[in-house]
Amino acid sequence: MQSQLTNRHATRFLSPEDIARMVRRQGLATTLNGMANYIHQDFLRWNSFEKSARLAAHSPDGVIELMPIADSSTYTFKYVNGHPMNTAQGLPTVMAFGVLADVNTGFPLLISELTLTTAMRTAATSAVAARALARPDSRVMALIGNGAQSEFQALAFHHMLGIEEIHVFDVDPDATAKLVHNLQCNPDAANLRVVVCTSTADAVQGSDIVTTVTADKTRAAIITPDMLKPGMHINGVGGDCPGKTEIHADVLRAAKVFVEFEPQTRIEGDLQQMQDDFVVTELWQVLSGRKTGRNNTAQITVFDSVGFAMEDFSALRYLHDLSQALHIGAEIPLIPELPDPKDLYQLIRPTARVMQLRA
Ligand code: NAD
C-alpha cells in the first residue's frame, strides 16, 4: 500500500497500527489533547449538526450500533458493538470502525479503525466534561472497571485535569494488575500514584472524581448514595445501553446531571432509571456558556456519558487531519475510478481495460 495519497479521488484507510503509530509519534497526551480540542470545538457548534439517537440492534449478550451524524460539509458514521462477555472468547468488549465522507459528493474520504480511537475519544470527552463540571482542585480519582478503556481514562484525567492519584478497583484482579502494570511502565505517568483498592467503596473513599467504566449487561448500582461526598464529580461511562446501568437512581437524584444528547441518554444512560420529567443539562450548553455547570463547590455532579456520534465525528476529523500531516495511512480502491462514470458495466465487461485505484 502507498503511504501517501496521490489519486484525485482516494479513500484513506487507517488501521489500528496506523493510529498507534500516530499516537507513538506525538505522544498520547498530545493526541488526547488534540482530540479533546476538536470535540470541544464541535460541541460549541452543536446546532450546526443533524443529530439523531444511534440505531441499536440488541441481542441477549450485547448490542451493535450505528452512529451517523453530519454537518453541512462532512458526514460520519461509526459501527460499534458492546458485548461484555466477549473477553472470555478473546475478543474486546467494544470494537468499532467508521467512515468520514464528503457531503457534497458523498465520496468516502476516510475509513478508519475506531476501537483504539473510541477509547481515546471517550477519555477525551470525559476530560472535556470534567474540566467544565468537576471542582478545579480535584486531585484524586477512583477508577472502577479496569478493562480496555481504563488506561485512557486514567491518563486523560492525569494529563488534562491534573489528577495525581488514582484509586483502582475491578472485580477481576487480573484487569487491575494489567492497568497498574501499564501505568507503571509509562514514563508519562511517572507522577501518577496508583492505589489498588479492595472494593468500590474503598476506591471511592477520599476521591474527588469517580469514573465508572465497567462492562456488565445488568442494572448494576455500583455507586450508591452512601459513597457520596460533597463536591464529588461522577464520570459514568459504562452505563450506556438499555438494561445496563452503574449508578444508583438516588445518586442521580442527589446530583446535578449532565448528558451528551438528551434523547439518546434517556434511552441508554443511567438516566433510563428516571422519569421523563427528571431535569438534565446537555454538556454543550455548559461549554458554550448558555447554562451553568456546577452551582457550588459542595454540589455533586454526574456526567452520564453514553458516547454520542458527534464525538466520533470530531475524532474522525482529527485523525484525518493528523494522518495527512504525518503522512500515515494508505490509499485503498474502495470506490471504482471510472473514465466514464455512467459506464459502471465497464468493470465487468470481459475485454474492458479498467482504471482502478491501486492498493
Ligand atoms: P472491558 O470488558 O475491557 O472492561 C470492563 C471491566 O469492568 C472488566 O475488567 C470487568 O471485570 C469490570 N467489571 C464488571 N463489573 C464490575 C463491577 N461490578 N465492579 C467493578 N468492575 C467490574 O470493557 P471496556 O472496553 O473497558 O468498556 C467498559 C464499559 O465502557 C463498557 O460497558 C462499554 O460499553 C462502556 N463504554 C462506554 C463509552 C462511552 O462513550 N460512554 C465508550 C466506550 C465504552
Side-chain angles (χ1 to χ4, degrees):
M1 286 196 179
Q2 289 165 242
S3 62
Q4 264 181 280
L5 304 186
T6 48
N7 284 291
R8 194 165 60 90
H9 298 296
T11 303
R12 186 179 284 264
F13 172 68
L14 292 174
S15 68
E17 180 50 30
D18 291 329
I19 305 289
R21 272 176 65 208
M22 292 197 279
V23 174
R24 280 195 294 267
R25 183 85 67 90
Q26 60 172 12
L28 180 61
T30 303
T31 308
L32 288 170
N33 260 308
M35 212 173 264
N37 286 342
Y38 275 53
I39 291 168
H40 194 134
Q41 289 307 316
D42 284 337
F43 268 125
L44 295 183
R45 57 188 195 94
W46 183 254
N47 288 323
S48 61
F49 289 102
E50 211 173 289
K51 300 178 280 295
S52 56
R54 60 186 160 195
L55 196 60
H58 297 278
S59 53
D61 290 339
V63 64
I64 295 176
E65 297 162 327
L66 277 181
M67 303 171 70
I69 190 164
D71 67 6
S72 60
S73 61
T74 305
Y75 174 98
T76 67
F77 75 82
K78 173 163 92 170
Y79 166 102
V80 64
N81 76 306
H83 286 73
M85 297 194 314
N86 264 9
T87 50
Q89 300 180 45
L91 282 173
T93 296
V94 176
M95 302 175 282
F97 69 91
V99 168
L100 179 149
D102 176 7
V103 161
N104 289 326
T105 61
F107 191 87
L109 297 169
L110 174 69
I111 179 162
S112 176
E113 89 81 41
L114 289 180
T115 305
L116 174 57
T117 301
T118 290
M120 294 191 287
R121 78 81 153 116
T122 304
T125 304
S126 289
V128 166
R131 265 194 318 216
L133 303 175
R135 290 184 349 263
D137 61 350
S138 299
R139 293 293 170 266
V140 180
M141 179 167 92
L143 184 49
I144 315 301
N146 302 160
Q149 312 295 317
S150 62
E151 288 83 357
F152 301 88
Q153 291 283 334
L155 292 167
F157 278 81
H158 178 49
H159 293 306
M160 294 175 63
L161 274 102
I163 288 296
E164 296 166 349
E165 184 170 305
I166 305 244
H167 297 177
V168 298
F169 174 71
D170 194 299
V171 289
D172 172 8
D174 289 346
T176 302
K178 175 250 3 171
L179 170 62
V180 171
H181 174 76
N182 282 338
L183 293 177
Q184 281 173 348
C185 290
N186 184 339
D188 286 347
N191 298 323
L192 182 63
R193 277 189 304 283
V194 182
V195 180
V196 176
C197 298
T198 53
S199 66
T200 297
D202 183 24
V204 170
Q205 179 82 27
S207 295
D208 304 303
I209 297 178
V210 176
T211 289
T212 53
V213 64
T214 67
D216 198 358
K217 207 171 179 198
T218 183
R219 280 188 175 249
I222 292 166
I223 305 301
T224 48
D226 53 297
M227 298 177 189
L228 298 179
K229 288 283 177 307
M232 218 173 229
H233 173 67
I234 298 169
N235 171 41
V237 177
D240 61 354
C241 192
K244 180 163 170 270
T245 63
E246 296 178 309
I247 300 171
H248 193 287
D250 286 343
V251 171
L252 300 179
R253 285 189 191 97
K256 187 168 180 183
V257 177
F258 300 84
V259 300
E260 292 144 313
F261 180 52
E262 185 176 340
Q264 184 177 315
T265 311
R266 290 232 171 251
I267 301 165
E268 302 179 353
D270 284 282
L271 191 57
Q272 67 189 268
Q273 307 169 78
M274 313 307 280
Q275 300 292 322
D276 286 351
D277 59 358
F278 183 83
V279 176
V280 296
T281 307
E282 286 186 331
L283 181 62
W284 74 274
Q285 296 179 301
V286 179
L287 298 177
S288 62
R290 283 178 173 77
K291 293 214 171 152
T292 311
R294 82 171 31 248
N295 295 96
N296 54 63
T297 52
Q299 190 168 46
I300 289 159
T301 50
V302 171
F303 177 46
D304 184 5
S305 161
V306 293
F308 182 54
M310 193 214 74
E311 296 146 26
D312 303 302
F313 177 100
S314 313
L316 281 161
R317 265 194 331 106
Y318 176 71
L319 294 174
H320 195 222
D321 291 351
L322 187 64
S323 69
Q324 286 171 323
L326 298 181
H327 304 296
I328 289 178
E331 182 181 285
I332 56 165
L334 187 65
I335 304 296
E337 188 155 315
L338 303 168
D340 174 359
K342 292 189 180 179
D343 188 6
L344 180 61
Y345 181 78
Q346 69 187 277
L347 286 176
I348 55 166
R349 201 161 47 218
T351 55
R353 202 162 159 269
V354 178
M355 279 177 58
Q356 270 193 307
L357 295 173
R358 284 227 159 62

